[in-house]
Amino acid sequence: MIYNNDERKPQIWLSGAHFINDIYTGLLNPIMPFIAEQARISMPVATIILSCSHIFSSLLQPYFGFFADKMRKRALIFWGLLLTSTFISLVPAANSIPVMIGCIILGSTGSSLFHPQSLGFVSKFSTSDSVKNMGIFIAMGTLGFSMGPLLSSATAQYFGLEKMPFLSTLGIIWAILMFSCVPKFSKRNTPQSQIKLKQAFIDILSNKKLNILNIIAMLKSLVTTSCSILLPFLWKVQGYTKFQIGTALFFFLFLGGIASLLSAKFEKKIGTQNVFYISMIATFPMMILFALTYKTIPQVSFVIFALMGFVTMFATPITMSMAQKVLPQYKSIIGGFINGFSWGIVAIAMSIIGYIAQATSILPVLVVISIIPVVCSNLVKYLFEPKQL
């Protein structure tokens, strides 16, 4: 299927590209309150703008996944990384709201192009432990996502928002290098080239196990996205600097990446089912503790917030690997659903959640959101009853 059967080389370059791509997807959240202040827009409007980013970087992924499974070229991962790195970096320096939204749409579409094909490639190039390789790939993306807030907040704090476009250089260079470092497909026809979009979507959406895994992915995305978008506004009101806010998001997402790396090891020790339960149930009590300490003991609240990132993303690689094994002929499309479509649906919901948080208060909204995965954790048991699926 490929010219080069060596597993390590494509895994290294794909994981590195995931790390770099997701740096850019994490750039905007910590500095959005300051961009909003500069552009004179409210928190709900800023939330909608950030939601556009998540919608275009996520909701289109199943469709791009279809083309990724069908085509025999590597174009999506290269052009995706180029678009993401170039246009997301331009957003903070945009001189008008339409230009800002246009850059967000183009940059986010790049991320939507990149993810399904790269997820499919990781699975296709895995000849040994697919869960471990997927865990490394997802962890690198999460670690990149965690570096984004740190990088953008430091740049904005010490150099100004107008200097952010220079950050595009890393992504452009890596994308160019990948042309010679990621193996090509052979010219021989493959079964994937016969995939039909309608049939693929019917097969995926009618599968009970995949529906449950999609719901779980959506719920975890809801917690992660809500915290990443809303808490920077809360901290800005409290007087925290751009870099302090970026640092808090960095540790939240960084520990999420560590959780993805350790997920396979914990799965072997405590079982897949328990990994799901811990990830879905533990966030709620931690959110309560955060709400009780963020004013009186802020240092403790930041530690709790970081640990929330760990438990929230604990089951992410297992969710993806399990989903791709259900219908292995649709690896990229399923990657688009689990990694993309779920985030896109959450992004649409965030447009409404932003207004609710503005009308009421941010923390009560986050507490209610953290309850939802607990209530839905009952779905996990159905993943392990194959006769009913």
Side-chain angles (χ1 to χ4, degrees):
M1 185 175 177
I2 56 174
Y3 291 130
N4 184 357
N5 290 319
D6 179 33
E7 183 177 346
R8 292 186 62 188
K9 183 178 178 181
Q11 297 291 352
I12 290 170
W13 280 96
L14 289 167
S15 295
H18 197 199
F19 175 82
I20 292 170
N21 182 87
D22 284 15
I23 285 177
Y24 295 100
T25 61
L27 284 180
L28 298 180
N29 286 340
I31 59 174
M32 197 63 196
F34 303 93
I35 296 175
E37 183 179 48
Q38 178 177 281
R40 298 181 180 179
I41 56 178
S42 65
M43 183 181 78
V45 174
T47 302
I48 290 174
I49 291 174
L50 283 175
S51 296
C52 287
S53 171
H54 291 290
I55 288 169
F56 281 91
S57 67
S58 305
L59 207 56
L60 298 175
Q61 285 195 31
Y63 296 97
F64 291 136
F66 162 73
F67 292 110
D69 277 332
K70 192 176 179 66
M71 70 192 303
R72 288 172 290 148
K73 295 183 179 179
R74 310 161 297 161
L76 300 187
I77 57 174
F78 304 125
W79 286 109
L81 183 54
L82 284 171
L83 285 171
T84 304
S85 56
T86 300
F87 286 100
I88 294 297
S89 300
L90 291 172
V91 171
N95 54 14
S96 69
I97 300 300
V99 172
M100 183 190 301
I101 293 174
C103 288
I104 283 177
I105 289 173
L106 288 170
S108 301
T109 301
S111 185
S112 200
L113 283 168
F114 171 82
H115 278 99
Q117 188 169 63
S118 58
L119 282 163
F121 275 24
V122 169
S123 183
K124 290 170 185 174
F125 293 147
S126 292
T127 57
S128 53
D129 192 337
S130 61
V131 175
K132 179 182 177 182
N133 287 331
M134 187 62 69
I136 293 172
F137 178 80
I138 290 175
M140 290 299 289
T142 306
L143 292 173
F145 195 49
S146 72
M147 288 298 298
L150 203 62
L151 186 59
S152 64
S153 60
T155 303
Q157 178 88 30
Y158 300 109
F159 300 100
L161 294 172
E162 68 278 3
K163 301 296 184 183
M164 295 277 292
F166 290 104
L167 298 179
S168 64
T169 307
L170 178 62
I172 294 170
I173 292 173
W174 194 272
I176 293 171
L177 290 174
M178 285 179 71
F179 274 104
S180 59
C181 297
V182 173
K184 297 178 181 178
F185 285 94
S186 71
K187 294 182 179 179
R188 288 176 297 197
N189 197 16
T190 62
Q192 281 78 10
S193 65
Q194 305 303 318
I195 287 175
K196 303 298 182 184
L197 179 62
K198 181 179 178 181
Q199 188 59 50
F201 274 58
I202 290 173
D203 290 344
I204 291 170
L205 294 175
S206 62
N207 188 284
K208 182 178 178 182
K209 189 170 185 176
L210 284 176
N211 286 332
I212 293 173
L213 290 167
N214 262 317
I215 290 171
I216 291 173
M218 286 181 195
L219 295 176
K220 307 327 297 286
S221 300
L222 180 62
V223 174
T224 303
T225 306
S226 300
C227 288
S228 298
I229 291 179
L230 296 180
L231 283 178
F233 285 92
L234 177 71
W235 287 323
K236 182 179 182 296
V237 171
Q238 289 185 277
Y240 290 102
T241 66
K242 301 179 186 74
F243 188 67
Q244 287 173 325
I245 294 171
T247 301
L249 287 183
F250 163 74
F251 281 109
F252 175 78
L253 298 167
F254 177 79
L255 288 187
I258 298 299
S260 295
L261 281 174
L262 298 177
S263 183
K265 291 184 178 180
F266 275 94
E267 181 189 21
K268 293 175 182 178
K269 290 184 177 180
I270 64 176
T272 307
Q273 198 165 358
N274 288 327
V275 171
F276 277 113
Y277 281 128
I278 291 171
S279 186
M280 298 186 75
I281 295 172
T283 307
F284 173 59
M286 297 178 80
M287 185 67 76
I288 295 294
L289 289 173
F290 175 84
L292 294 173
T293 57
Y294 83 101
K295 283 185 178 179
T296 55
I297 322 174
Q299 295 87 350
V300 172
S301 74
F302 281 121
V303 173
I304 294 169
F305 175 66
L307 292 174
M308 249 194 291
F310 184 93
V311 299
T312 302
M313 302 176 214
F314 192 34
T316 303
I318 296 173
T319 306
M320 179 65 71
S321 183
M322 183 180 290
Q324 288 185 325
K325 288 176 181 177
V326 175
L327 296 173
Q329 68 271 34
Y330 303 134
K331 285 183 170 67
S332 295
I333 305 177
I334 289 172
F337 270 97
I338 298 295
N339 188 70
F341 186 78
S342 60
W343 285 81
I345 295 297
V346 168
I348 294 172
M350 283 304 303
S351 302
I352 302 170
I353 291 170
Y355 278 96
I356 296 173
Q358 175 82 11
T360 56
S361 185
I362 290 174
L363 270 177
V365 169
L366 291 177
V367 170
V368 170
I369 286 172
S370 69
I371 295 173
I372 301 174
V374 178
V375 175
C376 295
S377 62
N378 186 56
L379 292 172
V380 172
K381 66 182 181 182
Y382 296 108
L383 293 173
F384 303 92
E385 297 179 2
K387 290 184 181 179
Q388 298 183 23
L389 302 176

